[in-house]
Amino acid sequence: ILDDPDLKDIDPTILKHCHAAAAMCILEAGKQKADIAAISTCLEDCKLDKERIEQFCTEYQKNKDALEILLGSIGRSPLHITDVSWRLEYQIKSNQLHKTYQPSYLVTLNVENSDSGSHPDVSFSCTMEQLQDLVGKLKDAAKSLERATQM
Amino acid sequence: CSFFEGKLNVSVDTIQHGVEGLSYLLTESSKLMISEIDFQDSIHVLGFSDELNQLLLQLYLDNRKEIRSILSELAPRLPSYHSLEWRLDVQLASRSLRQQIKPAVTIKLHLNQNEDQTAQVLQTDPSTLLHLIQQLEQALGEMKTNHCRRIVRNMK
């Protein structure tokens, strides 16, 4: 805003105060999921005229959803799984043991950290039975989710 | 070794060499998974009595499986899957946003790495969970395809 030609006549300190105040107001409204009536009342108490209140509310309404998504994504949570890759291999031999002849899966879970955004992926190997166990448990979780949404 | 020295009336060195030789014989044979005939042919050159050769063969066959399972633990390995626990959560509010309904699945993944068990807590959302299930089911299905079956058949 400090570079905006329309605002260059205004004292930069006041500009900053205005910006901060507006930001605070918007964030607090977003955080509390306030409706338009509540925001209007609040702005009336601050002695803003009707036209300005209407303008503010219209702009707020336009960006409300994006604001909520942004606010909802702030905060700590465990590493978040975003994707999975897998590899199926058939082991033939190692230098310690020949003729092993066993299928084996290598599964990599791509994870994201809410803070820093990147984190080494979680990789592990498993046999077919273990993978079946894993998938079975995930399917239980999914079924539970479905039941919970129907309650 | 010195215990047996007295019993068998041979030097400690001889006993040690004997034990080492025996374990080398059994380890190499188990590693290569050689057949009975090949084993017999191999020890024949050592010039032992037939009775001893039979004993050695029996020793090999009896212990082969266990030796192989011990050897399999020496190969390079990634952490391997042990088990998984899950929990359904719904986030209702946070410091930055009130009145939320955000479902999440929290997962505790137990892995084995070189005899240590590690547990990692991870989280995912419902749609990613369904995606994971679909992908991993595809992975399981691969072993049943003709391509994989052909390879397994021809590699014995």
Side-chain angles (χ1 to χ4, degrees):
Chain A
I1 3 168
L2 293 174
D3 294 332
D4 194 316
D6 289 337
L7 300 170
K8 67 171 160 57
D9 292 329
I10 310 176
D11 178 13
T13 323
I14 297 186
L15 258 183
K16 276 194 196 160
H17 279 155
C18 291
H19 183 252
M24 267 271 292
C25 183
I26 294 168
L27 286 174
E28 198 56 35
K31 174 161 93 175
Q32 301 294 344
K33 288 216 174 173
D35 56 20
I36 293 295
I39 301 176
S40 302
T41 318
C42 177
L43 292 177
E44 269 167 27
D45 289 343
C46 297
K47 307 226 183 4
L48 252 70
D49 56 63
K50 273 240 175 305
E51 200 189 306
R52 289 218 175 111
I53 295 180
E54 229 180 270
Q55 240 178 350
F56 185 88
C57 289
T58 319
E59 281 305 308
Y60 180 80
Q61 196 68 1
K62 266 200 271 180
N63 297 296
K64 189 163 96 102
D65 289 336
L67 178 66
E68 271 172 23
I69 293 174
L70 180 64
L71 286 174
S73 67
I74 299 172
R76 277 187 227 283
S77 69
L79 293 171
H80 193 95
I81 304 176
T82 53
D83 201 356
V84 65
S85 350
W86 55 267
R87 186 176 87 195
L88 170 60
E89 51 187 33
Y90 195 62
Q91 289 174 0
I92 310 176
K93 60 159 77 165
S94 69
N95 67 331
Q96 307 288 1
L97 194 58
H98 294 207
K99 300 193 190 171
T100 40
Y101 300 134
Q102 223 187 22
S104 145
Y105 285 96
L106 175 59
V107 177
T108 300
L109 295 170
N110 305 109
V111 289
E112 234 173 48
N113 203 333
S114 56
D115 298 333
S116 55
S118 80
H119 186 273
D121 294 329
V122 178
S123 292
F124 58 90
S125 67
C126 56
T127 63
M128 193 154 169
E129 292 76 29
Q130 287 169 333
L131 188 58
Q132 275 167 345
D133 178 66
L134 172 62
V135 175
K137 293 205 169 110
L138 290 179
K139 279 166 115 168
D140 287 342
K143 257 187 240 149
S144 251
L145 250 180
E146 217 185 294
R147 257 181 271 139
T149 55
Q150 285 164 0
M151 284 204 287
Chain B
C1 271
S2 36
F3 171 75
F4 287 111
E5 182 186 2
K7 290 251 165 182
L8 299 169
N9 209 19
V10 288
S11 71
V12 176
D13 281 342
T14 314
I15 296 178
Q16 186 169 340
H17 287 152
V19 171
E20 280 169 5
L22 197 57
S23 57
Y24 180 76
L25 172 66
L26 289 174
T27 315
E28 278 303 296
S29 310
S30 302
K31 164 171 146 184
L32 299 167
M33 192 73 172
I34 59 176
S35 62
E36 278 185 42
I37 312 229
D38 287 337
F39 185 83
Q40 278 171 327
D41 287 342
S42 307
I43 58 176
H44 190 69
V45 295
L46 296 169
F48 295 142
S49 67
D50 278 338
E51 198 190 321
L52 190 54
N53 285 346
Q54 264 308 105
L55 266 173
L56 285 173
L57 177 63
Q58 208 45 50
L59 197 60
Y60 166 59
L61 293 174
D62 289 341
N63 292 299
R64 175 163 66 175
K65 198 163 169 201
E66 197 180 333
I67 296 176
R68 281 178 72 79
S69 85
I70 296 172
L71 287 175
S72 72
E73 298 187 12
L74 295 171
R77 292 212 297 196
L78 286 148
S80 68
Y81 173 78
H82 183 257
S83 66
L84 179 141
E85 299 170 73
W86 58 266
R87 187 179 82 188
L88 276 179
D89 292 329
V90 178
Q91 182 167 310
L92 301 172
S94 70
R95 182 176 166 180
S96 34
L97 186 63
R98 310 291 148 81
Q99 296 178 41
Q100 297 178 38
I101 302 182
K102 198 159 139 187
V105 182
T106 306
I107 293 176
K108 196 166 182 187
L109 184 63
H110 294 269
L111 300 175
N112 287 330
Q113 166 107 50
N114 302 333
E115 282 143 35
D116 299 321
Q117 252 203 41
T118 63
Q120 200 151 20
V121 178
L122 304 162
Q123 203 176 59
T124 186
D125 51 85
S127 48
T128 309
L129 177 65
L130 293 175
H131 171 70
L132 293 181
I133 293 174
Q134 186 208 34
Q135 287 294 310
L136 293 176
E137 277 187 323
Q138 269 181 13
L140 280 173
E142 272 306 302
M143 268 314 282
K144 303 201 183 100
T145 60
N146 286 332
H147 176 77
C148 289
R149 282 209 172 119
R150 222 181 300 138
I151 296 196
V152 171
R153 257 203 313 267
N154 290 325
M155 282 232 222
K156 291 260 166 186

